[in-house]
Amino acid sequence: MQPIDYDVLIVGSGIIGATYACALLQGGMRIALVEAKPKSNDKKEEFDLRTYALTRASERIFTNLGVWDKIAAQRISPFREMHVWDAGGEIHFNSTMLNEATLGHIVEQTVIQAALTARLAEFETLTNYRPAKVQTFNLTKDESAMQVHLDNGQSLTTRLLISAEGANSSIRTNAGIPYQIREHGQQAIVATVQTAHPHQQTAWQRFLPTGPLAFLPLSEPQTCSIVWSIDTPLAQRLMTLDKQAFQQALEKAFALKLGTVTDCGQRATFPLQSRHALQYVQPRLALIGDAAHTVLPLAGQGLNLGLLDAAALSEIVLNAHAKRQDFGSYRELRRYERWRKGENLIMLKVMDGFKYLFAKPPLKWARNLGLSLTNTTVPLKQLIIQYAMGLKGDLPRLANINT
């Protein structure tokens, strides 16, 4: 039998890949991280353009992995209320409904990544290959391991190969795993803005016929991260506007809910797609995070779903490893696929459904009635926000309790 270099080899050291690595390393496994991008030592003082609304479930995952304190030591922005509306209806959520301190936290991508990097540095059983890319991979003759060939000429063997590369996963492509993709004809504009009125630690989202506009509260009381999902031609026109004209367009779209937009930083766009792999696993191979699924950013659930993938798969792998079972076998990996695939598909359909519901003028009466009824039905509101916060559902152990 060929010697095994690593228990698990993870391709992609972004937030999902690094989180998964932390979980396995904490369980005493030998892990390799392969990352194509060179290491960056840049420290950003300004707010990052990419921010995430972390649920309470994600907070618990990071707490149990020894990462949350490192995040909190940098910069986090709790939100205690959520206000969603369109031209004819609205719904309001408050953390006091559930006797919770917060609904979640808005955290910048660079802050989460830095905390994970610091935590990974504390483990001695981690090996980094960076910058490096996987050229090819194949099962060994006895199918007891995967052999992975890097572009630097090295060949490594592992019991389990993980793709955490993101939506354009080369591992998924080379493994021949098909996926469904839906183009929405929209772009998301992201930026950091200053407003005349404080955000009141509230996540604000307005649904427009062209797409939703979210103002997410950051740590400074009059600073928000915006995510404006909008039809591509209009997004392209908005990106050509000078700062003042863009701020005026933003104020109009947001109905001056926080007063005038007094300043706006750099803007960026990314295309909106829904994507779902038809298989999450093969023998000795698994997809997690955006490599397996991407959803619309209507409720900020994309990263949270990926973190639940990482927590669920780590639980299955560590349980099998503790029992001296073959954690890389198709049988064990199918447990992960059955656990997470259905949950992710439901969220993908729900987000696509929201887009359809709010984009179709003929459905306006039904939409407004639904918003109004939900807003006045406290038990239903509580149930919705509990699922959105990660307080209900078939959650992994890392997301459930403090271990």
Side-chain angles (χ1 to χ4, degrees):
M1 183 177 293
Q2 187 169 355
I4 303 299
D5 296 311
Y6 301 102
D7 294 319
V8 180
L9 187 149
I10 303 165
V11 184
S13 65
I15 292 174
I16 303 303
T19 299
Y20 184 60
C22 283
L24 297 186
L25 289 162
Q26 193 164 275
M29 300 186 80
R30 294 173 300 141
I31 306 300
L33 265 176
V34 177
E35 173 57 55
K37 296 177 183 177
K39 188 175 181 179
S40 174
N41 293 318
D42 294 339
K43 290 187 177 180
K44 294 182 66 173
E45 297 299 328
E46 69 274 14
F47 287 101
D48 192 357
L49 286 179
R50 294 299 298 266
T51 59
Y52 298 104
L54 295 181
T55 63
R56 297 303 298 275
S58 294
E59 178 186 340
R60 288 195 293 269
I61 290 170
F62 284 136
T63 298
N64 289 326
L65 294 178
V67 176
W68 185 254
D69 286 346
K70 299 179 190 301
I71 291 174
Q74 297 177 75
R75 187 161 59 194
I76 59 173
S77 309
F79 62 99
R80 309 180 196 283
E81 299 182 52
M82 185 182 302
H83 191 78
V84 180
W85 83 102
D86 75 349
E90 64 179 353
I91 186 168
H92 176 253
F93 299 100
N94 193 308
S95 60
T96 58
M97 295 168 49
L98 303 173
N99 295 318
E100 293 283 341
T102 69
L103 295 177
H105 293 81
I106 307 300
V107 188
E108 299 152 71
Q109 177 176 276
T110 48
V111 168
I112 303 172
Q113 195 71 61
L116 284 163
T117 299
R119 177 62 175 140
L120 287 172
E122 297 172 0
F123 294 103
E124 296 181 357
T125 55
L126 171 66
T127 303
N128 284 287
Y129 295 89
R130 183 175 192 169
K133 295 181 181 179
V134 173
Q135 295 280 61
T136 59
F137 54 91
N138 56 273
L139 288 169
T140 55
K141 287 183 179 180
D142 61 1
E143 298 188 352
S144 65
M146 188 76 80
Q147 189 153 31
V148 180
H149 310 281
L150 304 183
D151 61 352
N152 61 11
Q154 289 181 285
S155 292
L156 309 171
T157 54
T158 180
R159 295 290 186 201
L160 176 59
L161 175 63
I162 300 294
S163 171
E165 307 158 275
N168 299 313
S169 166
S170 63
I171 300 295
R172 184 190 61 219
T173 299
N174 293 333
I177 297 176
Y179 62 90
Q180 296 172 330
I181 184 168
R182 183 176 178 185
E183 301 282 355
H184 294 278
Q186 290 193 320
Q187 302 271 322
I189 299 175
V190 294
T192 302
V193 302
Q194 308 290 324
T195 57
H197 303 320
H199 51 59
Q200 305 157 58
Q201 293 188 324
T202 299
W204 306 84
Q205 184 158 266
R206 184 186 186 188
F207 279 91
L208 299 158
T210 53
L213 169 60
F215 274 57
L216 305 175
L218 294 176
S219 56
E220 296 174 1
Q222 288 167 268
T223 303
C224 291
S225 172
I226 68 155
V227 183
W228 193 354
S229 302
I230 198 162
D231 296 339
T232 296
L234 182 53
Q236 292 172 342
R237 288 199 296 273
L238 287 168
M239 288 296 289
T240 65
L241 298 178
D242 62 30
K243 186 165 79 168
Q244 184 175 3
F246 179 77
Q247 289 175 197
Q248 290 173 348
L250 190 57
E251 291 169 357
K252 182 178 179 181
F254 202 57
L256 292 169
K257 184 65 74 172
L258 295 178
T260 58
V261 176
T262 60
D263 196 15
C264 176
Q266 178 187 356
R267 287 167 265 163
T269 62
F270 58 91
L272 296 183
Q273 299 172 328
S274 302
R275 192 184 315 242
H276 197 242
L278 300 187
Q279 301 167 270
Y280 282 18
V281 301
Q282 291 181 352
R284 312 273 165 215
L285 172 66
L287 311 177
I288 58 176
D290 284 358
H293 50 80
T294 56
V295 300
L296 291 172
L298 298 185
Q301 290 298 314
L303 182 72
N304 295 296
L305 292 178
L307 291 171
L308 289 172
D309 288 351
L313 184 55
S314 66
E315 184 173 324
I316 288 168
V317 168
L318 288 171
N319 284 345
H321 182 60
K323 297 174 183 177
R324 298 185 181 277
Q325 295 172 345
D326 187 359
F327 55 81
S329 69
Y330 184 66
R331 177 182 176 181
E332 290 296 328
L333 295 178
R334 275 283 290 152
R335 298 177 191 274
Y336 158 68
E337 183 175 69
R338 288 193 297 268
W339 187 353
R340 293 299 305 154
K341 189 175 181 181
E343 300 263 337
N344 292 330
L345 187 58
I346 289 171
M347 184 61 70
L348 186 146
K349 296 298 184 184
V350 167
M351 293 300 101
D352 284 358
F354 266 122
K355 180 185 182 299
Y356 178 80
L357 181 64
F358 281 92
K360 297 293 183 181
L363 300 176
K364 182 177 179 180
W365 67 272
R367 178 175 70 240
N368 294 342
L369 177 62
L371 281 173
S372 299
L373 286 175
T374 303
N375 197 43
T376 56
T377 308
V378 174
L380 179 57
K381 280 178 69 174
Q382 289 178 325
L383 185 64
I384 290 171
I385 200 63
Q386 282 176 322
Y387 273 99
M389 292 170 65
L391 299 177
K392 279 189 174 293
D394 189 7
L395 298 173
R397 188 180 302 118
L398 280 174
N400 256 320
I401 59 174
N402 291 332
T403 56

